[in-house]
Amino acid sequence: MSRHRFPLCPASGKIRYGERKDVKLVLRGAERDRSRARLHDVACSRREIRSYHCADCCGWHLTSQPARPMQLVPVTNLTKHLPQLTTRSIRRFVAPKGLAAGNAA
């Protein structure tokens, strides 16, 4: 029988937290343990810094990896490759506001 209070993810083998609030509590505890270790000038093995949602088990996991930076794509690249989709999106956004979506020169 598993010693974990929470089950393990079958895909990754990590502890599966069912709700985001459980992950927040564990992350808060990890930060508290690291702070206490710094205060007493000892090593701490807690490395968890963030959580992520797992598509395999529909639960939450902890990781010590920093978040990947978001890459922004210039609008000109979008309109070049997806002209119809971009035009439809702009019209859908503009129409409820009472503005006119015309061709820009």
Side-chain angles (χ1 to χ4, degrees):
M1 186 156 149
S2 176
R3 296 183 343 207
H4 296 288
R5 180 176 149 209
F6 296 100
L8 297 178
C9 174
S12 66
K14 291 185 173 187
I15 298 174
R16 178 190 180 277
Y17 298 94
E19 296 182 29
R20 188 165 181 142
K21 67 179 180 175
D22 298 328
V23 172
K24 287 182 179 182
L25 287 172
V26 174
L27 285 173
R28 194 176 304 144
E31 180 58 36
R32 184 182 59 241
D33 291 346
R34 286 191 295 269
S35 296
R36 195 173 292 152
R38 279 191 303 268
L39 183 65
H40 296 295
D41 205 22
V42 296
C44 181
S45 62
R46 301 291 302 263
R47 302 285 181 243
E48 307 95 332
I49 58 171
R50 70 176 182 92
S51 64
Y52 65 94
H53 189 261
C54 178
D56 294 322
C57 69
C58 294
W60 293 87
H61 299 304
L62 298 174
T63 184
S64 60
Q65 302 294 319
R68 287 186 226 142
M70 186 185 304
Q71 290 186 340
L72 301 177
V73 178
V75 175
T76 55
N77 291 355
L78 285 177
T79 55
K80 187 188 318 176
H81 297 296
L82 303 169
Q84 297 85 13
L85 183 63
T86 307
T87 304
R88 270 188 271 141
S89 299
I90 291 171
R91 288 194 177 143
R92 216 176 304 138
F93 177 77
V94 169
K97 294 177 176 43
L99 302 171
N103 294 337

